[in-house]
């Protein structure tokens, strides 16, 4: 709107004034013609040149706003001085209009007051006692109304300019935010996929290698142990294949993760005559999203694998609570515990990274009686963000859990 208004209002006004001047010269022969008419036409042609369209917009595009406005006022005065019709007084309406666009509201008001004062001074000099003539009074009132309308129009143009600039800046900020969100989402997806590979397929492949190695060692010594290791290896290979298929299905179509069923199968697979694993579940998993359920399962995998690998464990208790504002998984073993001052392993660090993405936390306590790993993940809203009450519950979750004594 601003460009259309600024571009077309001055030429239209110049055209009206030019037509009015020539019409007056035609109907009032002798009063307005000759040199005066030539100066009148030359002044308007110069004004037209200032508004010349085209890529250069010359010379107006190359002149600063202040000198350009001064040139226009000089030309307006020259045209008005030789105009016998009086129509050219309307040109001064453009002064506060262009001043508003170039310098703001205060400058426009000052220029409008100057134009009104110039008109009144000219009438007082050229037409003494003009205030007693209705025609002159009507002209002054109409000129004042035109100045007010010009100021109002310029104000709306300036407001539109500011609004458009604000919108453009907002679009730029939004584009930057969208790029940042895309980068974060990509980084989060990479971290999730890496965690899936490490905690899922990687874990089963490591177990597969261990069982095959065990089968090779016991092949000629204990055929039964070797056969049992081979059976476990086949089971690990099957679970690895199932993990791959499940991950592909999740990537193709988002669907709930069967946490309780998966934990039950995991406990059944790990338990044998040397390791007792008990699972206790409270609550319903349907109230939690797939990301939370998958993360809890991976955490259980890591905690159980760590207990088997490092803890000399004979008993593990897995407790899953899904009925509160936050889901809580606790894995407690009766192994040798954690040495004081020891740093968490790569598995615990990866677990904490995955849980932190969901706004949760991981607490690890270890002593001579075993290790307790507690994972707390707040219940998430449909949009994927944790609710306020769930965040409070997660941030205030205690690291004190039950202990199994060896």
């Amino acid at each position: 709107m601003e460009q259309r208004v600024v571009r077309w209002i001055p030429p239209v006004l110049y055209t009206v004034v030019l037509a009015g001047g020539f019409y007056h010269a035609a109907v009032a022969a002798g009063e307005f013609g000759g040199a005066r008419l030539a100066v009148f036409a030359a002044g308007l042609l110069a004004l037209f040149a200032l508004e010349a369209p085209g890529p250069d917009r010359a010379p107006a595009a190359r002149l600063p706003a202040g000198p350009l406005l001064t040139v226009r006022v000089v030309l307006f005065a020259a045209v008005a001085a030789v105009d016998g019709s009086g129509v050219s007084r309307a040109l001064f309406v453009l002064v506060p209009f262009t001043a508003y666009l170039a310098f703001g509201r205060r400058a426009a008001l000052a220029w409008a007051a100057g134009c009104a004062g110039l008109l009144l001074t000219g009438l007082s000099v050229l037409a003494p006692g003009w205030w007693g003539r209705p025609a002159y009074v009507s002209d002054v009132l109409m000129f004042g109304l035109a100045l007010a309308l010009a100021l109002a129009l310029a104000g709306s143009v300036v407001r539109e300019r500011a609004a458009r600039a604000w919108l453009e800046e907002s679009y730029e900020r939004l584009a930057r935010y969208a790029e940042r969100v895309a980068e974060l989402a990509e980084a989060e997806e990479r971290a999730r996929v890496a965690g899936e590979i490490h905690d899922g397929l990687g874990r089963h492949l490591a177990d597969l290698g261990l069982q095959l190695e065990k089968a090779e060692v016991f092949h000629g010594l204990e055929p039964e142990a070797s056969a049992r290791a081979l059976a476990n290896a086949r089971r690990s290979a099957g679970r690895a294949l199932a993990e791959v298929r499940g991950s592909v299905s999740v990537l193709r179509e988002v669907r709930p993760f069967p946490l309780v069923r998966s934990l039950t199968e995991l406990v059944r697979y790990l338990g044998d005559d040397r390791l007792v694993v008990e699972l206790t579940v409270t609550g319903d998993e349907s109230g939690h999203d797939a990301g939370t359920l998958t993360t809890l399962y991976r955490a259980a995998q890591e905690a159980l694998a760590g207990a088997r690998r490092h803890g000399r464990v004979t008993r593990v208790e897995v407790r899953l609570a899904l009925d509160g504002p936050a889901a809580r998984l606790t894995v407690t073993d009766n192994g040798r515990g954690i040495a004081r001052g020891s740093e968490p392993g790569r598995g615990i660090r990866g677990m904490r990274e995955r849980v932190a993405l969901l706004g949760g936390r991981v607490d690890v306590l270890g002593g001579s009686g075993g290790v307790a790993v507690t994972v707390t993940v707040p219940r998430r809203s449909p949009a994927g963000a944790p609710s306020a009450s769930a965040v409070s519950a997660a941030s205030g979750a205690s690291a004190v859990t039950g202990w199994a004594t060896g």
Side-chain angles (χ1 to χ4, degrees):
M1 173 182 175
E2 175 193 342
Q3 294 298 327
R4 292 195 300 270
V5 169
V6 173
R7 181 177 299 177
W8 294 111
I9 281 186
V12 168
L13 187 56
Y14 300 157
T15 302
V16 171
V17 172
L18 184 64
F22 276 96
Y23 175 77
H24 181 72
V27 299
E31 295 183 13
F32 181 42
R36 291 178 62 189
L37 183 60
V39 172
F40 174 81
L44 284 171
L45 289 177
L47 289 171
F48 273 115
L50 287 178
E51 310 296 336
D56 296 334
R57 296 282 309 192
R62 296 196 296 266
L63 288 176
L68 180 61
L69 182 59
T70 303
V71 170
R72 281 176 174 147
V73 171
V74 171
L75 291 174
F76 291 167
V79 170
V82 297
D83 181 15
S85 66
V87 180
S88 58
R89 288 195 295 267
L91 295 174
F92 287 95
V93 172
L94 292 176
V95 175
F97 178 80
T98 54
Y100 205 132
L101 297 179
F103 307 110
R105 182 171 176 271
R106 292 185 178 180
L109 291 174
W111 279 97
C115 291
L118 181 63
L119 174 65
L120 296 177
T121 301
L123 287 177
S124 298
V125 173
L126 300 176
W130 61 268
W131 51 86
R133 302 180 187 179
Y136 285 110
V137 173
S138 176
D139 287 345
V140 170
L141 293 177
M142 292 300 295
F143 185 75
L145 178 61
L147 288 178
L149 291 175
L151 290 172
L153 180 60
S156 73
V157 170
V158 169
R159 286 191 295 273
E160 182 182 346
R161 175 192 296 173
R164 186 169 61 252
W166 179 83
L167 283 175
E168 291 175 354
E169 183 181 356
S170 298
Y171 289 150
E172 292 177 0
R173 288 201 305 268
L174 184 60
R176 291 195 298 269
Y177 292 156
E179 291 176 359
R180 181 58 179 161
V181 168
E183 292 174 359
L184 292 175
E186 184 178 352
E188 181 178 349
E189 183 63 14
R190 286 199 300 267
R192 187 191 68 79
V193 172
E196 287 287 336
I197 294 173
H198 174 269
D199 297 339
L201 183 60
R203 184 72 57 206
H204 291 303
L205 291 179
D207 189 62
L208 174 61
L210 179 63
Q211 296 298 332
L212 290 175
E213 183 179 351
K214 185 186 298 185
E216 183 180 6
V217 170
F218 289 101
H219 177 66
L221 301 176
E222 297 184 29
E224 292 184 2
S226 178
R228 186 164 57 248
L230 286 174
N232 289 336
R234 284 193 296 270
R235 190 181 307 173
S236 293
R239 291 183 62 83
L241 180 59
E243 288 280 353
V244 172
R245 290 173 175 171
S247 298
V248 171
S249 297
V250 169
L251 290 175
R252 288 177 175 173
E253 179 182 3
V254 177
R255 59 182 182 182
F257 180 79
L259 174 60
V260 176
R261 187 183 69 190
S262 299
L263 279 180
T264 302
E265 294 177 358
L266 180 63
V267 167
R268 184 185 305 117
Y269 169 69
L270 293 177
D272 54 28
D273 54 351
R274 290 169 295 179
L275 177 63
V276 177
V277 184
E278 293 185 356
L279 172 64
T280 304
V281 179
T282 58
D284 185 3
E285 66 184 38
S286 62
H288 299 270
D289 65 358
T292 298
L293 301 177
T294 303
T295 298
L296 291 172
Y297 177 71
R298 297 304 184 199
Q301 274 187 315
E302 180 60 42
L304 289 169
R308 292 181 61 194
R309 188 167 55 245
H310 304 299
R312 297 178 183 174
V313 175
T314 60
R315 184 179 183 85
V316 180
E317 294 181 6
V318 181
R319 294 191 296 275
L320 176 64
L322 299 170
D323 49 359
R328 182 173 298 180
L329 171 74
T330 304
V331 180
T332 307
D333 65 57
N334 65 344
R336 61 185 178 182
I338 302 176
R340 185 178 299 276
S342 62
E343 294 294 328
R346 184 173 59 183
I348 293 296
R349 291 197 300 270
M351 184 192 307
R352 282 178 170 156
E353 291 174 358
R354 291 173 62 91
V355 172
L357 292 175
L358 300 179
R361 59 181 290 177
V362 176
D363 297 304
V364 181
L365 286 180
S368 60
V371 176
V373 178
T374 302
V375 179
T376 307
V377 181
R379 188 184 297 271
R380 296 164 67 82
S381 66
S387 63
S389 60
V391 170
S392 175
S395 62
S398 171
V400 177
T401 59
W403 289 82
T405 58

